[in-house]
Amino acid sequence: MMSATRELVAAVAIHTKNDQSQSAKEWRNQVATYSCLLLRLAMVACDYPGEKIPPWDIPELKGEIKDKILQSTQIKGHSGKWGFAKRTEAEEVQRVPFLMSQHVRMAIYDHKLYLQEEIPVGFMLKFNSLLDGFVNAYSNQEKMFKTPMPFPMVQMARTMMFLWVYTLPFALSSDSSTLYVHCIVVFLLTYAFMGLETVSLELDDPFGHDENDFDNLGMAKMAFEDVLNSIDIVDGPDWAFKVRLNMKGSYDDDVPDAGEGSALLGGDAQNPWL
């Protein structure tokens, strides 16, 4: 998903860089913001089982696009009128990235309203294929949440493992080895099997804030920075900073406001948020 976000914005910026009109820069700024927001919402959806923070509560989602997203949910919108069943908050959370991907596609399609020349069909196919890659990656990730390991299988495997470890000393009692050998064998086998069981518990849910969990937000920030670099190369630092302000979240209060940031861009080349 990170790679698809980087490639999408880079492709859009490079293939339309010859149009340096104000409207073209605004369009590229919107596509970049929407692409970053799509990745951010996907990360929130992945972390929802542990953090219980829905996408519509994050500070990055705001304004008109937030209203459009909420309108398409049963929680705060009107989609329940034609829904086939009452959806839970968790189900609506998993749906939000799919909704956002549609708005990204529509933003790309609306290039006719901003660019002086229409984007060739081949480039449009490339943009859509990159979005398809993002959606497919998120769909594969969603399978982890919707198709967990069957509980009876986990229960039986765990029960048999504990039963085997518990009865191991009795099985070794008929062996002619010494007591010290028996203790070492029991310790090593118990340590190995219980350790593998602990590892399986850690791998069962790789999202969250544990030491062994994926740093979703950290990896997403790296992708955001690459997006800003793409906009900076084509449109300049002012437009890159606009995207940065749009993606300002609760995790980076050190980012200056719009007026202060514009002043810094005028003469300071050591901005920590670019």
Side-chain angles (χ1 to χ4, degrees), residues 90-135:
E91 290 175 321
E92 290 296 329
V93 165
Q94 299 299 324
R95 175 179 291 167
V96 168
F98 293 114
L99 297 174
M100 189 63 213
S101 68
Q102 297 179 30
H103 289 289
V104 176
R105 292 184 193 275
M106 288 189 290
I108 295 176
Y109 180 79
D110 287 341
H111 73 276
K112 303 174 183 179
L113 304 176
Y114 299 91
L115 303 183
Q116 297 175 356
E117 296 181 1
E118 186 174 344
I119 298 177
V121 176
F123 291 158
M124 290 295 294
L125 290 174
K126 181 177 182 178
F127 301 158
N128 279 283
S129 67
L130 290 170
L131 263 176
D132 291 339
F134 185 100
V135 174

Side-chain angles (χ1 to χ4, degrees), residues 12 20 71 95 121 142-143 175 193 202 204 265 270:
V12 168
Q20 289 295 313
Q71 287 177 1
R95 175 179 291 167
V121 176
E142 189 183 24
K143 295 177 183 178
D175 187 79
F193 280 92
E202 288 289 332
D204 184 62
L265 283 171
Q270 303 297 325

